[in-house]
Amino acid sequence: MPRILVTNDDGIYSEGIRKLAETLKAVGDVIIVAPDREQSAASHALTLNRPLRLLQIEENEWIVDGTPTDCVNLGVLKLMKETRPDIVVSGINFGANLGDDVTYSGTISAAFEGALLHIPSIALSAVVGEHFSFDGSVQFAVGLVRWALEHQRDPGVILNVNFPVAAPAGVRITKLGRRIYTEGVIERMDPRGRAYYWIGGGAPSWHPGEGTDFEAIQAGYISITPLHLDLTHHDSIPRLKPLEELLAADASR
Ligand code: MN
């Protein structure tokens, strides 16, 4: 049986991870290592400034008082040290992880951590709306994880999957869309007359773009975007090359 490490950023008690883990038992041995509370937008944070606790709450189920990235590290490097997982599955997140927002996502960072540990990894997120249900998404996840165990050969590339609210029209392989940020920070006054701020107030909107994850979701499709961690902008390397000469004197001061 393949070993499946399941984690998320909504926390161990979220419906998305409960249903996902339960359904994936049809595919392999499921080990859950998840944050003990919600860690959405935790991004790729790793806890280095305090001790972490790993608490077993069921057979094959552990909670960590840390981030999704902490969970994958403790899962792979401690709990499953002798029997590494064959795949890391993160989610299903309650809410989309599309376009530029992937950089904040704890759901996706957990999958990237799997990739850094050379394990094929998948991030799953569901768009929230009226008549929301995880049921169709978890069924799709079973088929996708089965496929990935057979065919996802390059662990450096993760799959970022987003489910539309309604029954999907099909599947689209996509690229990341671009977010339009409106009214990014809201200012209010607290009862003592001091300003406080709330980030992300405006309704999200997106630049229209063909082949993007956003377009696929808008059209009612499941979006699958292959992502990798190489943040190097290769085209800029030759353009910036003259700086080596230009700033050489400053560097040797
Ligand atoms: Mn979340």
Side-chain angles (χ1 to χ4, degrees), residues 66-78:
T67 66
T69 301
D70 295 330
C71 292
V72 173
N73 271 286
L74 288 177
V76 174
L77 302 176
K78 169 67 188 167

Side-chain angles (χ1 to χ4, degrees), residues 9-10 38 40 93 107:
D9 78 353
D10 290 341
E38 180 168 356
S40 293
N93 190 59
T107 307

Side-chain angles (χ1 to χ4, degrees), residues 22 53 73 146 163 228:
E22 198 50 46
R53 303 290 175 184
N73 271 286
R146 276 210 178 101
F163 298 98
H228 66 153

Side-chain angles (χ1 to χ4, degrees), residues 72-154:
V72 173
N73 271 286
L74 288 177
V76 174
L77 302 176
K78 169 67 188 167
L79 290 173
M80 304 176 80
K81 196 176 172 189
E82 310 300 332
T83 50
R84 281 168 70 93
D86 298 293
I87 194 165
V88 173
V89 185
S90 177
I92 297 174
N93 190 59
F94 185 68
N97 277 303
L98 296 162
D100 300 319
D101 286 351
V102 303
T103 54
Y104 308 112
S105 168
T107 307
I108 292 172
S109 293
F112 272 136
E113 196 59 24
L116 285 171
L117 295 166
H118 309 292
I119 301 161
S121 300
I122 296 176
L124 304 168
S125 306
V127 180
V128 176
E130 228 179 310
H131 308 301
F132 177 85
S133 167
F134 281 113
D135 294 346
S137 311
V138 292
Q139 288 310 323
F140 183 87
V142 166
L144 181 65
V145 168
R146 276 210 178 101
W147 177 89
L149 284 165
E150 282 286 308
H151 299 104
Q152 198 176 339
R153 290 280 176 245
D154 180 358

